[in-house]
Amino acid sequence: MTHEDHMRRAIVLSREHMQANQGGPFAAVVVRDGEIVGEGWNQVTSMNDPTAHAEIVAIRAACERLGTFSLEGAAIYTTCEPCPMCLAAIYWARIPAMYYANTTQDAEAAGFDDGAFYREFALPADERSLRRSRLLAEEARAVFDEWVQKEDRVEY
Amino acid sequence: MTHEDHMRRAIVLSREHMQANQGGPFAAVVVRDGEIVGEGWNQVTSMNDPTAHAEIVAIRAACERLGTFSLEGAAIYTTCEPCPMCLAAIYWARIPAMYYANTTQDAEAAGFDDGAFYREFALPADERSLRRSRLLAEEARAVFDEWVQKEDRVEY
């Protein structure tokens, strides 16, 4: 299986599930050792889940199948350059390589907010549209201290 | 219920589930019309799901309960400033207001990669540690064109 084969599989999924009204025109596959170990497609509107983007769904599927929270050594093939949520999910999953087809600009032209959100991220936090207030810092900090002192903690 | 009450509920959840070894020391609640409509806590290591951060779990729970993919008019209370994945999830969920306690710097001091990932985001894409290659642009672009022409598409 070539890189193109894996991407073509993702493109097939994106078309099929978009036409079936599951969500936006996006899909992704996670590949490890040459084998597809997780597939995902956008299901935001059909599942009422704003986090059900293709990459998130594919990462969750791959982790469930492999019984791990780390996809180190895997690659992700996504039909569109990931939005900030999915890009960070790829980092948290420790996936080192990404193949993409459409760009953030293409997504923006198709009516999606990926580009707008990247522009929000580039702003200082207090200039973003999301209003933010800090409270109870000391009470929450105590829980972090307990974590650091917890001898059987599992790091990720 | 005051803002502090909602945050205190999140802090209780963060301590309880961290001590029960479900994952990192993070929790969040989504509030609409003064009522908690979704609760979440970190379950990365217990669920083998690198996307199971507190805010993601809370948003999914709130959307499932309310039967919607938009939490417009809600607020999220999170025990720690969100990582880039969760910040973008808050934007996709259309939540306009966030209350937080610990900061990204606190998370970094407790051993988490939130700060490192924000620094990656600030780099030009080709300088990030995630390797990227583009392929099959035209084939994927055709699916976006079909989306734009799809008369019964549900936007989000």
Side-chain angles (χ1 to χ4, degrees):
Chain A
M1 298 277 280
T2 66
H3 294 307
E4 283 75 13
D5 290 333
H6 295 313
M7 183 63 83
R8 226 164 246 135
R9 171 66 184 157
I11 293 172
V12 163
L13 291 172
S14 74
R15 173 173 282 120
E16 188 175 299
H17 293 283
M18 179 264 283
Q19 291 295 359
N21 295 320
Q22 297 215 349
F26 306 95
V29 301
V30 174
V31 172
R32 208 178 64 173
D33 299 329
E35 189 199 353
I36 292 179
V37 292
E39 295 185 336
W41 48 89
N42 189 289
Q43 298 166 45
V44 168
T45 54
S46 60
M47 296 291 286
N48 284 327
D49 180 356
T51 75
H53 284 203
E55 298 92 329
I56 299 271
V57 176
I59 287 168
R60 298 180 78 208
C63 286
E64 184 176 354
R65 171 156 167 193
L66 299 173
T68 174
F69 53 83
S70 169
L71 296 172
E72 214 170 335
I76 191 162
Y77 295 74
T78 173
T79 61
C80 185
E81 202 172 8
C83 81
M85 177 176 72
C86 294
L87 180 62
I90 291 168
Y91 275 95
W92 282 117
R94 312 296 173 183
I95 295 175
M98 167 183 73
Y99 298 85
Y100 67 102
N102 286 307
T103 65
T104 298
Q105 290 70 32
D106 294 329
E108 196 152 26
F112 296 99
D113 285 332
D114 306 47
F117 294 167
Y118 272 112
R119 288 189 291 277
E120 280 281 308
F121 271 58
L123 295 173
D126 59 2
E127 292 176 24
R128 294 182 190 143
S129 65
L130 178 66
R131 298 193 303 274
R132 22 186 303 134
S133 316
R134 191 174 183 195
L135 62 160
L136 300 190
E138 281 184 37
E139 292 179 36
R141 179 59 182 272
V143 183
F144 272 17
D145 293 342
E146 290 169 31
W147 166 261
V148 170
Q149 283 153 25
K150 194 175 193 305
E151 297 196 352
D152 63 345
R153 71 181 183 275
V154 181
E155 298 184 342
Y156 60 87
Chain B
M1 298 275 283
T2 66
H3 295 306
E4 283 74 13
D5 291 333
H6 295 313
M7 182 64 83
R8 227 164 243 135
R9 172 65 184 158
I11 293 172
V12 164
L13 291 172
S14 75
R15 174 173 281 118
E16 188 175 300
H17 294 283
M18 179 264 284
Q19 292 295 359
N21 294 319
Q22 297 215 350
F26 306 95
V29 301
V30 174
V31 172
R32 209 178 62 175
D33 299 328
E35 189 199 353
I36 292 179
V37 292
E39 295 184 337
W41 49 88
N42 189 289
Q43 298 167 44
V44 168
T45 54
S46 60
M47 297 291 285
N48 284 326
D49 181 356
T51 75
H53 284 202
E55 298 92 330
I56 299 270
V57 175
I59 287 169
R60 297 180 78 209
C63 285
E64 185 177 353
R65 171 158 167 193
L66 300 173
T68 174
F69 52 83
S70 169
L71 297 172
E72 214 170 335
I76 190 163
Y77 295 74
T78 172
T79 61
C80 185
E81 203 174 7
C83 81
M85 176 176 73
C86 295
L87 180 61
I90 292 168
Y91 275 95
W92 282 117
R94 313 296 173 181
I95 295 175
M98 168 183 74
Y99 298 85
Y100 68 101
N102 286 306
T103 65
T104 298
Q105 290 70 33
D106 294 329
E108 195 152 26
F112 296 98
D113 284 332
D114 306 47
F117 294 169
Y118 272 113
R119 289 189 290 277
E120 280 281 308
F121 270 60
L123 295 172
D126 58 3
E127 292 175 25
R128 293 181 190 143
S129 65
L130 178 66
R131 298 193 304 274
R132 20 186 303 135
S133 316
R134 190 174 184 197
L135 62 160
L136 300 190
E138 282 184 36
E139 292 179 36
R141 180 59 182 272
V143 183
F144 273 15
D145 293 342
E146 289 169 32
W147 166 262
V148 170
Q149 284 153 25
K150 194 175 192 306
E151 297 196 352
D152 64 344
R153 71 181 183 276
V154 181
E155 298 186 340
Y156 60 87

